[in-house]
Amino acid sequence: QCLLSGSWRSDAGCRMVVSVLGKDGSFSGSYLPGPAASDSEILTSPLEGSQQDAALVPQPTFSFTVRWQLRETAQRTAFLGQCYVGANGEETLHALWLLREAADSPAEDWKATR
């Protein structure tokens, strides 16, 4: 069974800590980008999400958003993925992400999502 509670590290050195996992699958925690992050002023940022009921499926899907703690920029990243349990019992997360920055106008919308 794969549960998100605990500490996770990405291949790029980012760290996610899921500190609260509710009975309904909701969770919260914090996210800290790794050394490859382009903005050295990014602080540990709060995350909130939900996980598919792990009692129903052994390798649940999940989603969460990170509200970046930046001084002058409004950014959020959405992650969507699945938690896998390997043959050796090791849990691994596979996820895709989208980063959204606030745009000044609809004309600038095209460059606000990466």
Side-chain angles (χ1 to χ4, degrees), residues 8-16 31-43 68:
W8 299 88
R9 185 172 302 276
S10 76
D11 294 339
C14 301
R15 187 165 167 248
M16 175 177 81
Y31 193 92
L32 181 65
S38 60
D39 190 336
S40 61
E41 294 186 15
I42 297 177
L43 305 172
W68 297 107

Side-chain angles (χ1 to χ4, degrees), residues 1-2 8 59 83-93:
Q1 185 176 7
C2 199
W8 299 88
Q59 301 184 120
C83 186
Y84 292 100
V85 180
N88 61 356
E90 184 175 319
E91 297 172 328
T92 306
L93 304 181

Side-chain angles (χ1 to χ4, degrees), residues 6-80:
S7 182
W8 299 88
R9 185 172 302 276
S10 76
D11 294 339
C14 301
R15 187 165 167 248
M16 175 177 81
V17 177
V18 176
S19 53
V20 177
L21 183 60
K23 291 180 181 182
D24 64 351
S26 64
F27 61 89
S28 62
S30 59
Y31 193 92
L32 181 65
S38 60
D39 190 336
S40 61
E41 294 186 15
I42 297 177
L43 305 172
T44 299
S45 300
L47 66 84
E48 292 183 0
S50 64
Q51 175 180 315
Q52 187 178 12
D53 189 344
L56 299 176
V57 293
Q59 301 184 120
T61 59
F62 62 87
S63 63
F64 65 93
T65 59
V66 175
R67 183 175 37 88
W68 297 107
Q69 300 296 312
L70 299 167
R71 292 189 180 152
E72 297 185 25
T73 308
Q75 293 182 350
R76 281 197 179 259
T77 300
F79 292 81
L80 179 64

